[in-house]
Amino acid sequence: MNSIKDAKRVVVKVGTSTLAYPNGKLNIRRIEDLVKVLSDLKNQGREVVLVSSGAIGAGVGTLNLPSRPSEVRMKQAVAAIGQIELMNVYRKFFADYGHHVAQVLLTKDVVDDDHRKENAIETFKALLSLGVVPIVNENDVISYEEIEFGDNDTLSAVVASLIDAELLILLSDIDGLYDSDPHKNENAKLIQVVEEITDEIKHMATGSSTKQGTGGMTTKLKAAEIATSRGINMIIANGNNPSKTLYTIFDEKPCGTLFLGKEKLKRM
Ligand code: GLU
């Protein structure tokens, strides 16, 4: 397997349930911990791209709404409010550790069009060459069914492919992929390594979903298919304690579920 420890270009995706409390307010302590370790990974000489959900969640918190809106227009409006809230917090924390951030908002039509895709790739390259941390989200404000990724798991795998990352880490509120639903079966076993995404593996992804985000295990497996087919290793791990999780991963100790990138498998 290609070394995780030596992965130079890394995409980290964090879900809403990791970034915000159930009431929508941002979990400042966890975000600061995440930013601290990402800054440290950068100081080690890596390039880091953060794919962050939480725009709608943060908007709900900012406006003290009783729950996440279900109507599309409202979601877009709330995302517009939450996105700047989120970026403001990231910018402050990254600045504390000496790093600059950039906001990149994407919709699916950008990567479906060769010319626009090339443009996006070049901009990512320019941002990385400037040493900043691009923070990516779906452009929820203008996205609608035909042009949306729909979930940030898929978006993060697309971003990892665009920039030829070596490693994609999805931080979520679950420890990884289990052989059965751990909420229903206390004997459910965590799968540590997936070499091939077989039908059996897909069956294990029971479509679990959190109240706050949009993704579940199904979208994470879809992300794994995109990433691994491009030779990118992908890990699903618990984001409750970002520094512990990320340092464990880069120490190459078992953590979450690792999906081996395909081309790298062949090179073994
Ligand atoms: N783009 C959405 C947001 O920032 C999140 C999508 C997702 O949770 O996958 O709220």
Side-chain angles (χ1 to χ4, degrees):
M1 188 189 89
N2 239 32
S3 161
I4 287 178
K5 191 168 75 271
D6 297 332
K8 177 138 195 312
R9 191 168 280 181
V10 181
V11 177
V12 177
K13 181 257 168 179
V14 273
T16 305
S17 55
T18 299
L19 297 167
Y21 293 105
N23 65 6
K25 298 281 183 195
L26 294 176
N27 186 331
I28 300 286
R29 180 180 179 175
R30 201 178 276 159
I31 296 176
E32 185 167 24
D33 184 50
L34 171 73
V35 169
K36 188 172 170 182
V37 58
L38 294 181
S39 298
D40 198 34
L41 292 175
K42 269 199 67 63
N43 288 354
Q44 291 170 357
R46 301 177 210 271
E47 294 170 327
V48 174
V49 174
L50 176 62
V51 175
S52 176
S53 303
I56 299 173
V60 168
T62 303
L63 298 172
N64 282 318
L65 299 179
S67 63
R68 228 177 132 88
S70 52
E71 198 234 325
V72 176
R73 194 67 68 214
M74 260 316 168
K75 274 195 206 166
Q76 292 176 310
V78 171
I81 294 152
Q83 179 64 24
I84 50 170
E85 188 75 17
L86 202 56
M87 289 306 295
N88 189 32
V89 171
Y90 280 130
R91 188 171 56 95
K92 268 193 206 148
F93 284 147
F94 272 106
D96 283 349
Y97 296 106
H99 293 285
H100 295 290
V101 297
Q103 174 180 260
V104 180
L105 300 176
L106 292 173
T107 42
K108 191 167 164 289
D109 53 333
V110 172
V111 295
D112 286 346
D113 176 277
D114 283 346
H115 180 66
R116 298 178 73 196
K117 180 164 98 179
E118 246 356 271
N119 240 316
I121 292 173
E122 291 308 317
T123 305
F124 269 116
K125 279 192 196 155
L127 289 169
L128 292 174
S129 77
L130 290 168
V132 306
V133 179
I135 302 181
V136 187
N137 196 357
E138 175 139 32
N139 195 351
D140 294 313
V141 175
I142 56 146
S143 81
Y144 53 91
E145 218 169 322
E146 283 75 23
I147 62 161
E148 71 177 6
F149 290 98
D151 67 90
N152 277 8
D153 295 325
T154 309
L155 172 64
S156 67
V158 169
V159 168
S161 305
L162 286 180
I163 63 165
D164 261 327
E166 284 140 276
L167 179 63
L168 167 63
I169 301 170
L170 305 187
L171 294 180
S172 180
D173 54 0
I174 34 162
D175 294 338
L177 177 68
Y178 283 86
D179 62 355
S180 61
D181 189 342
H183 301 298
K184 293 185 191 140
N185 177 5
E186 57 175 33
N187 295 319
K189 262 186 34 212
L190 181 74
I191 311 283
Q192 288 193 343
V193 181
V194 174
E195 296 194 4
E196 191 79 41
I197 302 165
T198 58
D199 286 346
E200 193 194 352
I201 293 288
K202 283 185 196 159
H203 189 72
M204 291 172 188
T206 44
S208 65
S209 176
T210 64
K211 277 198 193 71
Q212 291 164 280
T214 6
M217 201 40 91
T218 310
T219 56
K220 288 179 179 52
L221 275 200
K222 191 174 154 204
E225 281 183 314
I226 297 171
T228 57
S229 70
R230 296 289 302 259
I232 302 165
N233 292 318
M234 189 189 106
I235 295 173
I236 301 173
N238 201 312
N240 277 350
N241 188 337
S243 53
K244 183 164 167 253
T245 300
L246 290 170
Y247 285 125
T248 305
I249 288 173
F250 285 100
D251 283 344
E252 294 191 333
K253 296 199 182 115
C255 186
T257 303
L258 164 65
F259 296 79
L260 293 178
K262 279 216 172 99
E263 287 149 42
K264 284 161 191 142
L265 243 189
K266 276 185 221 130
R267 269 188 246 131
M268 272 169 72

